[in-house]
Amino acid sequence: MSTDTTGVRVKGRSEPARGAAGELLTALGWFLRDGGAASLADLDVSAIGIEYGTVEGRRVPELSIRFVLEPGPGGHEAFPAREATEAVDGDGAGDGYDPSFLGVEIPVPAPGDAVLADVAPTVDGGTVVRHVHFSLQMSASRRLALWVGWNIDGGALKALSRRGLGFARDPQVAEDGQVGDELYAGNRLDRGHIARRADLVWGPLRVAESANRDSFYFTNIAPQLDDFNQSARDGVWGRLEDAVLADVDVEDLKVSVFGGPVLAADDRVYRGVRLPREYWKVLAFREDGALRARAFLLTQALDRFEALDLDEFRAFQVTLPEVEARTGLRFPDVLRAADGPALPVLAGRREPLGGLADIRW
């Protein structure tokens, strides 16, 4: 295949330019059709990634594309099935959360005295679980994460599909030390990602694919009502990371995030699992050379959970000390120094975020 300024040329055929993505798909369609393998309708594009290299002193895009071909009419596969890729190794990507990601050392939260005895061991005798682009510590009593820490490279994100990926037990934690599918069958509970899948799929395609799979381990999952993100003040919670990249001049488009459930002693028990009513998240980034940290809390009322009724969600912007008081975790001093000022409390109560515009970056 070759291209010219008029569009795509494949086997002597050309069409007017319709944008890079349109040209690419058109070319692929011709290739598949002429090869007798499939039609364009059978092309399921699951990942398109663009990186840049230098050729003869010029910066040029390098495109990688992944697609799936459904079996043809005779039941045969157009191409042999590809084995699942192995876990990333040798490139450091599987080492988990990177504390120096923002150019300044930001250690993970430390369990305080109130929760230190509840930190669950990993199968290799440690306490920290590490996957591609994220790390976490588990609560032994609750079988959920105490915290998850992850890095986001907004300039290297990939558009990867979740098709074919299922939730799985984490091999780094004892099987009975993590809440699995037994909690979620036949009710309105969702398997909610703590570190968002979309935040983790960055870097070279092979690395992003490994992060995509790793995000589905149950150690990165917590129970949430099925419209948890959608009802939380018009989706504020699920869009926090997107908002900081869109609204702030974030250096290098890099953000480090910590998040997790608030594991309160009076959380309601359901199927032997105490369901968190609150979740917290801390975003760290650099702006104009300065490190900044912003903390958020999301609460859900479950007073009528016996009937699995939804009451109301509220998202608040809070301070790091408030998150520490709720979680029993201690954030590093460098992050505490970057925390924003205390927000005003009006008439004895803090107003919830009504939308992304209410956030004080």
Side-chain angles (χ1 to χ4, degrees):
M1 182 180 73
S2 63
T3 61
D4 57 26
T5 56
T6 63
V8 174
R9 187 178 303 280
V10 180
K11 293 189 177 181
R13 305 173 183 176
S14 63
E15 287 285 348
R18 288 177 290 180
E23 292 176 358
L24 175 64
L25 292 177
T26 299
L28 283 170
W30 278 328
F31 168 76
L32 295 171
R33 192 164 56 245
D34 290 350
S39 70
L40 186 58
D42 296 320
L43 184 65
D44 174 24
V45 177
S46 60
I48 297 179
I50 299 179
E51 298 179 9
Y52 290 87
T54 302
V55 177
E56 297 180 350
R58 293 183 304 159
R59 186 170 181 261
V60 297
E62 299 174 351
L63 184 69
S64 59
I65 183 167
R66 174 177 294 278
F67 56 88
V68 176
L69 293 178
E70 300 296 341
H76 65 279
E77 295 185 359
F79 297 99
R82 177 180 176 180
E83 295 294 328
T85 55
E86 297 297 323
V88 175
D89 57 14
D91 53 17
D95 292 341
Y97 165 82
D98 180 0
S100 60
F101 186 69
L102 300 182
V104 58
E105 198 75 8
I106 304 176
V108 298
D113 293 340
V115 296
L116 185 59
D118 190 39
V119 175
T122 59
V123 293
D124 63 2
T127 63
V128 177
V129 174
R130 294 178 176 86
H131 290 296
V132 180
H133 300 324
F134 71 100
S135 301
L136 58 95
Q137 273 187 323
M138 293 290 289
S139 160
S141 63
R142 300 289 292 267
R143 298 185 295 147
L144 299 171
L146 290 167
W147 59 264
V148 180
W150 64 101
N151 308 114
I152 308 170
D153 187 340
L157 289 169
K158 298 291 189 294
L160 297 186
S161 170
R162 62 181 291 166
R163 178 175 176 173
L165 297 178
F167 296 91
R169 301 274 183 177
D170 192 326
Q172 296 187 42
V173 177
E175 189 167 324
D176 59 359
Q178 47 192 309
V179 174
D181 272 326
E182 67 277 2
L183 176 64
Y184 300 97
N187 55 37
R188 286 184 52 204
L189 286 178
D190 268 352
R191 304 164 184 83
H193 283 73
I194 299 174
R196 293 195 317 170
R197 185 185 72 88
D199 292 346
L200 300 173
V201 290
W202 56 268
L205 184 58
R206 177 169 161 268
V207 173
E209 288 174 335
S210 291
N212 199 21
R213 291 192 300 273
D214 286 1
S215 74
F216 284 88
Y217 283 129
F218 276 115
T219 49
N220 184 43
I221 303 301
Q224 300 171 354
L225 290 178
D226 55 9
D227 51 2
F228 187 79
N229 285 338
Q230 292 76 12
S231 296
R233 295 297 177 185
D234 196 27
V236 168
W237 192 253
R239 297 160 60 199
L240 282 172
E241 293 93 324
D242 300 332
V244 67
L245 288 170
D247 297 343
V248 181
D249 187 15
V250 175
E251 290 184 7
D252 299 323
L253 295 178
K254 290 184 176 181
V255 182
S256 290
V257 189
F258 298 105
V262 175
L263 304 178
D266 61 349
D267 285 337
R268 189 174 299 277
V269 178
Y270 177 73
R271 294 185 180 177
V273 177
R274 291 193 179 275
L275 302 177
R277 295 194 304 270
E278 297 182 329
Y279 287 82
W280 60 275
K281 190 176 288 186
V282 175
L283 278 64
F285 53 93
R286 297 188 69 152
E287 183 184 27
D288 297 329
L291 181 66
R292 305 192 187 281
R294 298 296 181 263
F296 302 88
L297 182 74
L298 183 64
T299 68
Q300 58 177 329
L302 296 176
D303 293 338
R304 302 195 303 270
F305 190 75
E306 292 88 344
L308 289 175
D309 286 332
L310 172 65
D311 188 358
E312 187 179 12
F313 301 102
R314 294 182 177 90
F316 294 88
Q317 186 168 1
V318 297
T319 63
L320 279 175
E322 291 177 84
V323 175
E324 290 178 329
R326 277 180 156 82
T327 62
L329 300 172
R330 168 78 183 191
F331 290 97
D333 289 340
V334 65
L335 213 54
R336 291 167 62 92
D339 193 14
L343 301 177
V345 178
L346 303 177
R349 65 186 297 269
R350 176 171 292 155
E351 288 298 315
L353 295 172
L356 295 174
D358 293 342
I359 297 174
R360 300 189 181 189
W361 295 116

